[in-house]
């Protein structure tokens, strides 16, 4: 007892000692001013501090130009954004606005807003109409590159010019209570894109945007999406996969207890025909999803080929294995409630469908459930009846 008590006291004293050594920085600047240089200088100082540190951006509106906050830092670091930082309308060909890079033990919180001021840029943007090589690249609002053991909590991204949040090369990162807002018609404004990352969780967040709510790129492993509400936007998407030569496998994706409202797609997996690589996407599970007026609620599309940028005669070489859709219910905005269109060359393997209840009330109804190159294992309710409809052509074919 005495020994245990002694150790506990020592432990508490140590903790107090550590926190006494923590260093808290505050950005003190007049409202409306440009804080770019001050924030960069303060971040670098905090980053070099030998023990835990924090940087506070207080309430108020500030201008922020392109900024790269680069680790590695000497100890864990927290950035608390209480105010609003505004990008300007200008586009300088940069591919990001705010970047956090190579930081281990990172926190970003505070309830503040990253306002990308995308409005003018969207109107000038033509990426969604042209080949990728021809369009002008607009900056992603917030990039997290190679950030590990991180918690991003309670921040808002407003009107990004391109993607709102891009996560690349992360390990053990939680994004929680994130709010994303952009108009339905804003192009390429994916909410959160995750690629080449392990152990990312997106929890309890609300995403209203013009493109994918959450998009999951190659090399993503052990991703959890839980209690996320999407809409408007293009829904939750794995892929597109197979566009590039050096892609990595996707494995262990769970999307649970989430809601999609008025989105263009619900939950989907898309891979390119005539893919440039032969990767496998496996262990992908969608469970307990509520749909309200969702166009294409459940979709596997292995002939994803927008703007005819590919050869559709060559079946996709991306293998889809161990996929499930369970307990998915609500209303579809069109007749095609479920489409599982797998590759002719590599039919989908071990697909499970259970407790699907999707209604469509349009004049051309009722809802359909199409399958090609897949024989799913069925469990529980199936409304519409699984694989009951012949495959019709995809739009644009
Ligand atoms: C994950 O990151 C959090 C910080 O957000 C940290 O507390 C935790 O120990 C990390 N977990 C692992 C398994 O590294
Ligand atoms: C979904 O939420 C319910 C409570 O509403 C909970 O019991 C369940 O464990 C959650 N499911 C998953 C897969 O997290
Ligand atoms: C259904 O969703 C579409 C967008 O996909 C939207 O235009 C339409 O207004 C929605 N309908 C209702 C009744 O909310």
């Amino acid at each position: 007892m005495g020994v245990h008590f002694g150790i506990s006291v020592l432990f508490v004293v140590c903790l107090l000692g550590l926190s006494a050594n923590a260093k808290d920085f505050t950005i003190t600047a007049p409202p409306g001013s440009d804080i770019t240089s001050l924030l960069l200088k303060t971040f670098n100082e905090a980053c070099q501090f030998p023990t835990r540190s924090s940087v506070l951006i207080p309430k108020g509106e500030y201008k922020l130009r392109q900024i790269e906050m680069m680790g590695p830092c000497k100890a864990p670091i927290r950035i608390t954004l209480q105010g609003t930082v505004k990008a300007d309308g200008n586009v300088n060909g940069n591919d990001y606005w705010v970047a956090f890079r190579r930081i281990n033990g990172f926190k970003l919180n505070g309830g503040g807003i990253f306002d990308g001021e995308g409005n003018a840029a969207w109107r000038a943007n033509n990426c969604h109409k042209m080949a990728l090589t021809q369009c002008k690249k607009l900056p992603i609002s917030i990039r997290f590159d190679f950030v590990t053991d991180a918690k991003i909590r309670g921040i808002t991204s407003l009107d990004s010019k391109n993607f709102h949040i891009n996560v690349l090369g992360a390990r053990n990162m939680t994004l929680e209570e994130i709010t994303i807002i952009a108009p339905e018609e804003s192009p390429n404004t994916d909410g959160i894109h995750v690629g080449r990352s392990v152990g990312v969780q997106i929890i309890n967040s609300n995403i209203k945007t013009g493109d994918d709510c959450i998009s999951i790129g190659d090399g993503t492993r052990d991703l959890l999406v839980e209690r996320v509400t999407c809409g408007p936007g293009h829904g939750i998407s794995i892929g597109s996969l197979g566009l590039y030569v050096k892609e990595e496998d996707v494995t262990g994706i769970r999307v649970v207890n989430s809601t999609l409202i008025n989105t263009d797609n619900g939950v989907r997996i898309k891979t390119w025909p005539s893919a440039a690589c032969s990767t496998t996407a496996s262990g992908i599970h969608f469970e307990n999803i509520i749909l309200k007026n969702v166009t294409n609620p459940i979709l596997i599309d292995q002939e994803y080929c927008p703007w005819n940028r590919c050869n559709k005669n060559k079946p996709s070489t991306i293998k889809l294995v161990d996929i499930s859709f369970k307990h998915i219910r609500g209303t579809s905005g069109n007749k095609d409630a479920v489409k599982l269109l797998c590759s002719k060359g590599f039919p989908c393997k071990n697909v499970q469908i259970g407790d699907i209840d999707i209604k469509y009330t349009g004049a051309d109804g009722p809802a359909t459930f199409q399958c090609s190159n897949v024989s799913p294992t069925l469990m529980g309710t199936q409304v519409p009846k699984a694989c009951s409809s012949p495959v019709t052509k995809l739009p644009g074919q």
Side-chain angles (χ1 to χ4, degrees), residues 24-213:
D24 300 320
F25 297 85
T26 300
I27 302 293
T28 308
S33 62
D34 182 334
I35 59 168
T36 316
S37 321
L38 183 56
L39 178 58
L40 189 59
K41 182 171 155 283
T42 310
F43 172 84
N44 286 334
E45 210 176 317
C47 183
Q48 289 314 309
F49 200 74
T51 57
R52 206 170 272 284
S53 64
S54 71
V55 176
L56 170 68
I57 304 163
K59 287 210 161 76
E61 246 179 50
Y62 307 97
K63 294 196 185 85
L64 186 64
R65 284 171 289 119
Q66 188 189 37
I67 185 166
E68 178 186 48
M69 287 172 257
M70 173 73 109
C73 297
K74 293 202 165 135
I77 186 166
R78 182 180 74 224
I79 296 184
T80 300
L81 173 67
Q82 291 178 343
T84 297
V85 288
K86 286 171 160 282
D88 57 31
N90 293 332
V91 177
N92 309 316
N94 294 318
D95 74 345
Y96 66 91
W97 170 35
V98 178
F100 300 98
R101 292 190 161 139
R102 302 188 186 280
I103 307 173
N104 177 31
F106 178 59
K107 284 194 168 70
L108 172 64
N109 60 15
I113 301 172
F114 291 86
D115 182 353
E117 303 208 80
N119 211 313
W122 301 325
R123 272 180 275 123
N125 181 357
N126 43 22
C127 290
H128 54 304
K129 294 183 201 132
M130 285 179 153
L132 286 172
T133 46
Q134 285 169 10
C135 71
K136 185 147 96 183
K137 203 130 179 93
L138 296 175
I140 289 168
S141 267
I142 311 168
R143 289 196 70 117
F144 298 100
D145 296 330
F146 306 96
V147 165
T148 57
D149 293 351
K151 189 153 193 167
I152 315 303
R153 184 162 169 269
I155 57 154
T156 294
S157 172
L158 179 65
D159 292 346
S160 56
K161 293 185 176 77
N162 192 318
F163 291 8
H164 289 266
I165 293 176
N166 192 86
V167 176
L168 176 74
R171 186 173 51 74
N172 181 26
M173 175 181 207
T174 300
L175 297 113
E176 204 172 353
E177 290 162 40
I178 305 298
T179 304
I180 286 177
I181 305 169
E184 186 173 2
E185 61 281 3
S186 57
N188 291 319
T189 51
D190 287 27
I192 302 176
H193 178 83
V194 180
R196 307 260 166 126
S197 294
V198 184
V200 172
Q201 312 196 29
I202 303 171
I203 300 173
N204 202 16
S205 294
N206 195 326
I207 302 177
K208 304 175 199 291
T209 195
D211 207 305
D212 289 341
C213 173

Side-chain angles (χ1 to χ4, degrees), residues 198-240:
V198 184
V200 172
Q201 312 196 29
I202 303 171
I203 300 173
N204 202 16
S205 294
N206 195 326
I207 302 177
K208 304 175 199 291
T209 195
D211 207 305
D212 289 341
C213 173
I214 294 173
S215 58
I216 297 154
D218 81 281
T220 302
R221 290 189 280 145
D222 301 328
L223 172 76
L224 174 68
V225 174
E226 188 180 354
R227 280 177 287 134
V228 170
T229 300
C230 299
H234 294 178
I236 297 176
S237 178
I238 320 279
S240 57

